[in-house]
């Protein structure tokens, strides 16, 4: 929120050398590239409270004046059915806190479809702000045989018209100087010839609104009265109804009925505007009737073709999914390894204690936990930016709409939801391509149901431990079938959730799916790069802080309170152990740290085991080969030991000691964890999780995995005294999980427990990063909180049913 | 030719819009996007799954669902 604090000093006393300019126009008009050409790198994202759209604010200079440019979301009309659509009008009138009040407006018009672009143009011009038209895509228009007389256009509209081509830098300076000149003259209000009774209606309503003004907290303008009269609903209407009460509503509809006189006011507005536009165009525009198909038509013939289009689509989607899912792997491993190494390095320089643990396990691990998501986010947005720039995104939506509309979504929800199978975070961020607010919110809410790759370690561990390795029908691996089923659990629950959301909370009377299919353009690397930079930065800055805070909190819950008693107990055990070895070990002074040395010795032993296990054939030969391998092992061990200036026997003793010491440390960590707040929370929720087949340890691991699901693996490692460095494929962890017992000696885990844990993790919202991104994208805590509550309840109930049914079936 | 709804026009056919109906939000959206009485529209194609459809209107391509197009009455050219 601090970022939106663009100098409120602009407001009120605008000095001559500072002006704010709003940039408005249709989507796909080159508005963003114009904004980038004007402001360069000097831009930031403005936070609009209560809405899910955002605007960018940047600055540019012209001679001695500084221009603050506000890039408002592209829209086809100022009609506001949702708060998101209302933002444009509010921003234009300077009613958004932290965003300067525009002194003028640049209306961006796409010359290749000027008629439709002028629709919102006429709406903006009715506000009477000083305005300049930036005419883009003139080259595209000309290639289609459309000629625009810009002088006539300027005279007709009564505002200057500047031809711009932002990617080529054409017209930028002229636009600035024209703006500068225009700002010093009052704007001319556009007057369209509405029918008289309609005009009277607007005037009457305007007067009524001004009476309400005090209660509303602002003075409504005439164009707003027009909007309200035509729209007859929406956020502004709700606001008026709230402060004006029933009496106001009654009066409003009386005025509206009189103005309408049985006609549709939307029709009246559209016919007046397009009527005027049509007349202007007869003067301004010359269109040669060109037969022949445009390049876009030809490309569309393939890309939206029943067969070829579908094939291309499947390939593109496969590529996106594959790259997020697997290509990000090496980068993520590098980040993971890098932060692990950083933690070891920093930890090595610090003394044992709370501070070291905070820095290494809390902060460094937390920052790593934030950055680990970057590769997936950047890869998805690389694709989205290229496809969006190219014009393919709307074609993909066109192809998938039929399927997605069955679940109350639109075609545009497909890519975000597909990406969510790799990681929910880029999926949620990708939902911003959906213009419609309700569809976007539904998509964001559904994304966490898609089984992301962070759930995979949970599945891997429990499937390997409890699902028998048998084949169904002779060829289907049961383990594979269970894994496949886990991916479907989420989808299965997402479908009814989508339908309930659509019928319930987000009930919008069927959102219209009117989608412009813009002409294809070559993606511009700079624009793509900018999107990556913005998305990555926005994730790290806005979601990263929340994720880091949660990581530190959970670290603290697992660390405190620190019982001196436990430390004392294990210190005593360690020193007793060391004393018993003192004679044997005194000669052995490793010059490397014991862990890596132990690993080297172990590698030699493992190599020997491997050689022996590979032997087959005659007994005599095996004996000889085994003896040979043993000789090799002994000589290698002796060599390594002698490098550490000690005898082999000393090494054996030292190794035994080191292993026992590690065991003590692991038990110490386990007991500390049990004694920590987290451990106590585990005990506290035990009665609630018992029906799921869990005990306090699993309950605690579930809580500890709140920052990220995969943490459950490391937590189980610690609580079962194996140390925290466990991975899902780890053989010792699998064994200890299989063998773990309850206090009464019965087995803790069974197939039923394993399934119940997997189902829980398939459905729960245990991912601080997802929730943080959800809050960032919806601009409200309401959605992440609702998502967490809903998904946790669902996960609990589903795990409960799974366990009870599986147990009853004898799992 | 007689009037019919837009979703019933075959690929390649054009027509002139006679009336635009539907619930208020849909009607307003259609009108804003340039689908209004007197304007010529042409059906370009239907999506591979049969819905939505693509039309040319005011020189640009617009995709809309058949259920939405059903509220647009056209006089076939």
């Amino acid at each position: 929120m601090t970022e939106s604090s663009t100098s409120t000093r602009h407001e009120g006393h605008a000095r001559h050398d500072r002006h704010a300019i709003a940039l408005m126009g249709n989507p796909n008009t080159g508005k963003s590239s114009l904004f980038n050409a004007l402001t360069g790198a000097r831009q930031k994202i403005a936070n609009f409270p209560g809405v899910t759209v955002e605007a960018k604010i940047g600055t540019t200079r012209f001679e001695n004046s500084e221009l603050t440019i506000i890039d408002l979301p592209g829209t086809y009309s100022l009609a506001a059915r949702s708060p998101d659509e209302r933002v444009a009008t509010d921003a234009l009138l300077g009613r958004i806190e932290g965003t300067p009040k525009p002194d003028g407006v640049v209306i961006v018009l796409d010359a290749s479809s000027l008629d439709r672009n002028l629709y919102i143009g006429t709406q903006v011009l009715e506000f009477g702000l000083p305005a300049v038209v930036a005419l883009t895509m003139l080259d595209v228009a000309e290639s289609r045989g459309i000629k625009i007389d810009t002088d006539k256009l300027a005279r007709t509209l009564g505002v200057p018209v500047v031809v711009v081509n932002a990617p080529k830098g054409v017209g930028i300076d002229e636009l600035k100087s024209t703006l500068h000149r225009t700002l010093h003259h009052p704007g001319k209000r556009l007057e369209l010839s509405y029918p008289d009774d309609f005009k009277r209606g607007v005037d009457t309503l305007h007067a009524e609104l001004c009476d309400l003004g005090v209660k509303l907290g602002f003075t409504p303008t005439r164009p707003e009265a027009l909007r309200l009269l035509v729209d007859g609903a929406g956020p502004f209407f709700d606001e008026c109804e709230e402060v004006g009460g029933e009496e106001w509503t009654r009066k409003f509809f009386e005025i509206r009925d009189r103005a309408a006189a049985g006609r549709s006011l939307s029709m009246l507005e559209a016919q007046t505007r397009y009527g005027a536009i049509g007349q202007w165009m007869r003067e301004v525009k010359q269109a040669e009737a060109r037969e022949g198909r445009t390049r876009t038509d030809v490309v569309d013939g393939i890309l939206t073709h029943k067969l070829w289009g579908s094939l291309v689509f499947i390939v593109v989607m496969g590529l996106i999914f594959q790259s997020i899912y697997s290509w990000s792997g090496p980068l993520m491993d590098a980040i993971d390894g890098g932060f692990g190494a950083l933690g070891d390095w920093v930890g090595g320089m610090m003394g044992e204690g709370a501070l070291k643990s905070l820095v290494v396990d809390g902060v460094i691990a937390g920052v790593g936990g934030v950055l680990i998501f970057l590769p997936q986010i950047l890869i998805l947005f690389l694709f989205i930016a290229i496809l969006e720039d190219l014009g393919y995104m709307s074609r993909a939506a066109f192809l998938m709409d039929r399927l997605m509309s069955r679940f109350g979504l639109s075609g545009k929800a497909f890519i975000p939801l597909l990406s969510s199978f790799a990681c929910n975070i880029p999926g949620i961020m990708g939902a911003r391509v959906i213009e419609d607010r309700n569809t976007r919110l539904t998509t964001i809410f559904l994304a966490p149901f898609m089984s992301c790759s962070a759930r995979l370690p949970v599945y891997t561990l429990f499937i390997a431990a409890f699902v028998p390795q048998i084949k169904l029908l002779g060829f289907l691996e049961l383990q594979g079938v269970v894994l496949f089923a886990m991916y479907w659990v989420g989808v299965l629950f997402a479908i009814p959730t989508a339908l309930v959301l659509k019928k319930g909370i987000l009930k919008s009377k069927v959102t219209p799916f009117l989608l412009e299919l813009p002409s294809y353009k070559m993606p511009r690397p700079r624009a793509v790069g900018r999107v990556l930079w913005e998305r990555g930065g926005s994730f790290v800055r806005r979601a990263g802080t929340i994720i880091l805070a949660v990581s530190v909190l959970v670290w603290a819950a697992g660390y405190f309170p620190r019982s001196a008693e436990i430390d004392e107990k294990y210190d005593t055990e360690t020193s007793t152990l060391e004393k018993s070895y003192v004679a044997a070990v005194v000669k052995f002074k490793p010059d490397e740290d014991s862990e890596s040395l132990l690993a080297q010795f172990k590698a030699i032993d493992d190599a020997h085991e491997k050689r022996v296990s590979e032997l087959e054939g005659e007994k005599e030969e095996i004996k000889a080969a085994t003896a040979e391998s043993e000789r090799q092992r002994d000589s290698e061990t002796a060599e390594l030991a002698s490098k550490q200036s000690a005898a082999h026997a000393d090494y054996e003793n030292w190794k035994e000691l080191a292993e026992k010491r590690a065991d003590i440390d692991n038990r110490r960590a386990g007991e500390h964890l049990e004694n920590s707040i987290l451990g106590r929370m585990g005990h506290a929720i035990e009665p609630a999780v018992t029906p799921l087949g869990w005990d306090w340890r699993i309950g605690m691991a579930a809580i500890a995995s709140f920052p990220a699901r995969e943490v459950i693996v490391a937590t189980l490692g610690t609580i079962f005294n194996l140390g925290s460095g466990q991975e899902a494929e780890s053989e010792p962890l699998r064994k200890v999980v299989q063998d773990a017992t309850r206090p009464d000696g019965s087995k803790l885990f069974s197939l039923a427990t394993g399934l119940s844990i997997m189902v829980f993790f398939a459905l729960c919202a245990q991912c601080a990063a997802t929730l943080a991104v959800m809050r960032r994208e919806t601009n409200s805590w309401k959605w992440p909180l609702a998502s967490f509550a809903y998904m946790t309840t669902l996960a609990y109930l589903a795990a409960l049913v799974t366990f009870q049914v599986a147990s009853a079936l004898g799992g | 030719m007689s009037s019919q709804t837009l979703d019933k026009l075959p690929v390649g056919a054009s027509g002139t819009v006679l009336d635009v109906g539907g619930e208020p939000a849909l009607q307003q959206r259609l009108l804003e996007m340039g689908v209004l009485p007197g304007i010529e529209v042409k059906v370009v194609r239907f999506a591979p799954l049969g819905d939505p459809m693509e039309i040319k209107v005011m020189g640009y391509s617009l995709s809309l669902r058949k259920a939405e197009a059903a509220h647009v009455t056209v006089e076939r050219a």
Side-chain angles (χ1 to χ4, degrees):
Chain A
M1 251 149 268
T2 47
E3 285 169 54
S4 65
S5 60
T6 26
S7 47
T8 36
R9 61 181 179 273
H10 285 275
E11 270 181 303
H13 42 91
R15 295 205 311 255
H16 281 298
D17 56 347
R18 269 172 190 278
H19 293 288
I21 307 289
L23 217 55
M24 302 192 81
N26 285 186
N28 312 309
T29 49
K31 190 164 67 66
S32 302
S33 49
L34 175 60
F35 175 71
N36 293 332
L38 280 170
T39 62
R42 294 175 301 273
Q43 46 177 263
K44 51 189 157 190
I45 291 167
N47 187 49
F48 291 169
V51 299
T52 65
V53 292
E54 60 187 20
K56 281 190 248 163
I57 296 189
T59 55
T60 186
R61 299 203 136 269
F62 181 76
E63 288 171 1
N64 288 325
S65 52
E66 188 183 290
L67 299 176
T68 303
I69 316 276
I70 310 156
D71 183 22
L72 293 172
T75 170
Y76 295 101
S77 164
L78 290 182
R81 301 161 204 98
S82 73
D84 287 14
E85 291 170 312
R86 169 85 180 150
V87 158
T89 308
D90 278 341
L92 196 63
L93 295 167
R95 293 212 192 107
I96 295 174
E97 209 181 317
T99 306
K101 179 177 165 51
D103 304 303
V105 55
V106 172
I107 304 171
V108 186
L109 300 178
D110 171 355
S112 69
S113 78
L114 194 52
D115 303 48
R116 195 205 61 221
N117 273 259
L118 269 168
Y119 190 84
I120 189 174
T122 59
Q123 290 179 332
V124 173
L125 288 172
E126 282 176 348
F127 279 89
L129 278 166
V132 176
V133 163
L135 195 63
T136 61
M137 315 267 176
L138 203 61
D139 47 346
V140 180
E142 275 167 5
S143 75
R144 292 191 196 158
I146 300 170
K147 283 207 176 65
I148 312 268
D149 185 332
T150 51
D151 291 337
K152 266 191 193 161
L153 181 64
R155 252 177 284 138
T156 313
L157 297 178
V159 297
V161 174
V162 180
V163 174
V164 297
N165 186 339
K168 291 186 181 152
V170 176
I172 306 300
D173 287 334
E174 197 194 334
L175 179 65
K176 283 197 226 175
S177 64
T178 312
L179 258 175
H180 192 250
R181 244 182 297 126
T182 312
L183 285 173
H184 296 282
H185 301 286
K188 200 180 129 232
R189 200 177 295 275
L190 177 74
E191 299 276 355
L192 293 177
S193 38
Y194 295 101
D196 285 336
D197 48 352
F198 178 77
K199 273 194 210 162
R200 271 198 301 280
V202 176
D203 288 332
T204 320
L205 183 59
H206 187 207
E208 289 290 339
L209 282 175
C210 289
D211 290 346
L212 267 192
V214 184
K215 288 188 201 161
L216 285 168
F218 57 84
T219 317
T221 55
R222 193 173 185 278
E224 281 176 288
L226 186 152
R227 274 269 56 82
L228 189 60
L229 189 67
V230 174
D231 299 349
F236 187 35
F237 175 81
D238 298 340
E239 225 174 298
C240 294
E241 194 174 38
E242 202 187 308
V243 296
E246 260 173 55
E247 173 62 17
W248 185 88
T249 313
R250 195 189 50 76
K251 236 189 267 173
F252 170 76
F253 282 108
E254 220 178 84
I255 298 171
R256 193 166 192 256
D257 287 345
R258 214 178 314 132
R263 295 164 297 192
S264 151
L265 288 175
S266 301
M267 182 75 85
L268 191 149
E269 184 195 6
Q271 283 181 322
T272 308
R273 292 190 195 283
Y274 275 121
I277 293 167
Q279 250 171 26
W280 301 338
M281 287 303 106
R282 275 192 281 281
E283 297 283 315
V284 168
K285 191 172 81 171
Q286 275 189 313
E288 276 173 43
R290 280 207 186 166
E291 280 308 307
R293 307 193 307 160
T294 63
R295 202 175 43 180
T296 294
D297 291 338
V298 176
V299 178
D300 260 343
I302 302 163
L303 292 187
T304 54
H305 185 269
K306 275 194 171 54
L307 176 63
W308 305 126
S310 309
L311 279 177
V312 171
F313 178 79
I314 290 168
V315 169
V316 171
M317 292 307 124
L319 194 70
I320 294 180
F321 183 73
Q322 187 63 22
S323 51
I324 302 176
Y325 193 78
S326 14
W327 298 354
S328 61
L331 286 166
M332 294 171 73
D333 288 345
I335 292 173
D336 201 25
F339 275 88
L342 180 68
D344 288 346
W345 182 68
V346 172
M349 298 191 306
M350 300 176 73
E352 288 299 325
L355 185 64
K356 172 181 166 176
S357 184
L358 167 66
V359 171
V360 175
D361 304 326
V363 177
I364 296 182
V367 172
V370 172
L371 297 184
I372 195 90
F373 292 111
L374 268 185
Q376 293 179 323
I377 291 172
L378 294 182
I379 290 176
L380 175 67
F381 275 94
L382 177 69
F383 279 102
I384 287 188
I386 292 175
L387 295 181
E388 183 96 62
D389 227 27
L390 196 67
Y392 188 73
M393 284 298 275
S394 44
R395 270 74 184 187
F398 179 69
L399 293 175
M400 291 315 290
D401 185 64
R402 173 79 193 271
L403 187 70
M404 304 309 286
S405 67
R406 288 186 188 178
F407 313 121
L409 299 169
S410 85
K412 286 216 161 179
F414 187 78
I415 290 180
L417 290 180
L418 176 79
S419 333
S420 294
F421 278 104
C423 179
N424 300 162
I425 290 151
I428 289 171
M429 291 175 71
R432 61 176 53 228
V433 301
I434 304 167
E435 291 91 2
D436 176 67
R437 177 187 169 92
N438 286 346
T439 312
R440 184 166 57 240
L441 288 172
T442 312
T443 309
I444 288 174
F445 199 79
L446 295 182
F449 282 88
M450 307 302 129
S451 204
C452 67
S453 49
R455 275 122 156 159
L456 200 54
V458 183
Y459 302 156
T460 312
L461 173 65
F462 288 99
I463 287 180
F466 299 107
V467 178
Q469 264 184 315
I470 51 169
K471 283 186 168 47
L472 294 177
L473 310 167
F475 67 97
L476 277 173
E477 286 279 358
L478 181 62
Q479 293 193 333
V481 172
V482 173
L483 183 62
F484 187 71
M486 292 322 297
Y487 274 86
W488 278 99
V489 168
V491 178
L492 223 62
F493 281 89
I495 293 171
T497 303
L499 297 176
V500 166
L501 270 181
K502 199 190 154 202
K503 294 255 147 55
I505 313 158
L506 290 176
K507 188 160 80 188
S508 55
K509 301 138 237 151
V510 191
T511 318
F513 180 68
L514 297 185
L515 182 67
E516 183 188 357
L517 302 174
S519 43
Y520 289 103
K521 291 179 198 80
M522 277 310 285
R524 295 147 299 150
R526 284 188 61 164
V528 171
R530 194 181 280 275
V531 169
L532 294 187
W533 175 251
E534 275 170 17
R535 289 298 126 235
S538 143
F539 168 75
V540 170
R541 266 181 285 116
R542 302 203 179 197
T545 42
I546 301 174
I547 301 168
L548 185 60
V550 172
S551 304
V552 172
L553 266 178
V554 172
W555 163 83
Y559 191 87
F560 295 109
R562 210 65 180 166
S563 150
E565 239 168 79
I566 296 175
D567 274 332
E568 217 168 281
K569 184 171 114 196
Y570 287 99
D571 284 346
T572 316
E573 198 180 328
T574 308
S575 64
T576 316
L577 175 76
E578 282 173 351
K579 265 181 213 138
S580 69
Y581 275 86
V582 77
V585 174
V586 75
K587 279 172 277 175
F588 193 84
K589 291 202 176 63
D591 56 6
E592 289 175 66
D593 72 275
S594 54
E595 234 175 87
S596 82
L597 189 59
L598 208 54
Q600 289 179 52
F601 279 122
K602 192 170 176 304
I604 295 172
D605 289 344
D606 287 349
H608 163 67
E609 296 288 328
K610 194 166 171 251
R611 285 193 298 270
V612 172
S613 72
E614 278 168 2
L615 291 174
E616 266 178 74
E618 291 301 311
K619 267 195 173 169
E620 283 309 307
E621 279 175 41
I622 296 178
K623 260 190 199 154
T626 310
E628 171 56 34
S629 176
E630 274 168 0
R631 265 197 299 282
Q632 191 184 334
R633 177 198 58 190
D634 293 344
S635 81
E636 281 174 6
T637 308
E639 195 189 330
L640 182 55
S642 78
K643 259 195 223 154
Q644 311 291 338
S645 51
H648 189 192
D650 291 337
Y651 147 66
E652 290 291 349
N653 284 325
W654 174 84
K655 187 172 124 181
E656 217 176 272
L657 172 62
E659 279 168 0
K660 283 184 179 160
R661 234 194 240 138
D663 177 59
I664 293 174
D665 283 345
N666 288 340
R667 277 186 286 127
R668 180 204 300 255
E671 200 166 329
H672 270 309
L673 184 54
E674 176 167 8
N675 181 53
S676 70
I677 300 175
L678 212 53
R680 291 170 201 205
M681 284 164 88
H683 278 295
I685 64 160
E686 189 163 34
V689 297
T690 305
L692 313 186
W694 303 6
D695 76 340
W696 69 270
R697 287 171 290 191
I698 308 173
M700 179 197 65
I703 300 174
S705 66
F706 179 62
R709 295 178 183 87
E710 65 272 24
V711 169
I712 189 181
V713 175
T715 310
L716 286 175
T718 304
I719 200 63
F720 290 121
N721 305 331
L722 290 171
S724 61
Q726 297 299 316
E727 305 215 350
E729 296 81 11
S730 147
E731 184 66 44
L733 182 60
R734 187 193 316 161
K735 257 201 82 46
V736 86
V737 163
Q738 279 167 336
D739 298 341
T741 53
R742 296 174 191 276
D744 64 6
S746 65
K747 280 261 194 291
L748 170 56
F749 293 97
S750 61
L751 177 60
T753 320
L755 287 175
S756 133
I757 294 174
M758 286 192 282
V759 166
F760 185 87
F761 273 81
L763 294 174
C764 71
Q766 292 282 93
C767 178
T770 301
L771 297 173
V773 166
M774 213 181 249
R775 122 99 215 143
R776 159 89 192 86
E777 295 294 313
T778 59
N779 215 351
S780 141
W781 278 111
K782 195 174 76 184
W783 287 95
L785 288 177
S787 168
F788 183 75
Y790 176 73
M791 292 189 73
T792 306
T793 310
L794 210 58
Y796 181 88
L797 294 176
L800 177 71
V801 171
T802 306
F803 178 74
Q804 296 301 340
V805 170
S807 312
L809 296 174
Chain B
M1 284 260 309
S2 63
S3 67
Q4 58 192 125
T5 53
L6 178 57
D7 59 313
K8 297 288 190 306
L9 280 192
V11 172
S14 5
T16 307
V17 177
L18 293 177
D19 192 25
V20 179
E23 57 95 30
L26 173 64
Q27 185 201 30
Q28 192 175 27
R29 236 13 248 288
L30 284 165
L31 294 166
E32 288 166 354
M33 297 301 281
V35 181
L36 69 160
I39 298 294
E40 194 186 314
V41 293
K42 181 181 175 184
V43 179
V44 181
R45 61 173 59 84
F46 290 86
L49 298 173
D51 198 18
M53 63 194 297
E54 179 187 340
I55 61 167
K56 270 254 191 286
V57 55
M58 287 196 179
Y60 78 100
S61 296
L62 177 70
S63 154
L64 72 168
R65 291 181 181 149
K66 285 202 277 191
E68 292 156 356
H71 293 289
V72 179
T73 322
V74 292
E75 167 103 65
R76 194 169 161 183

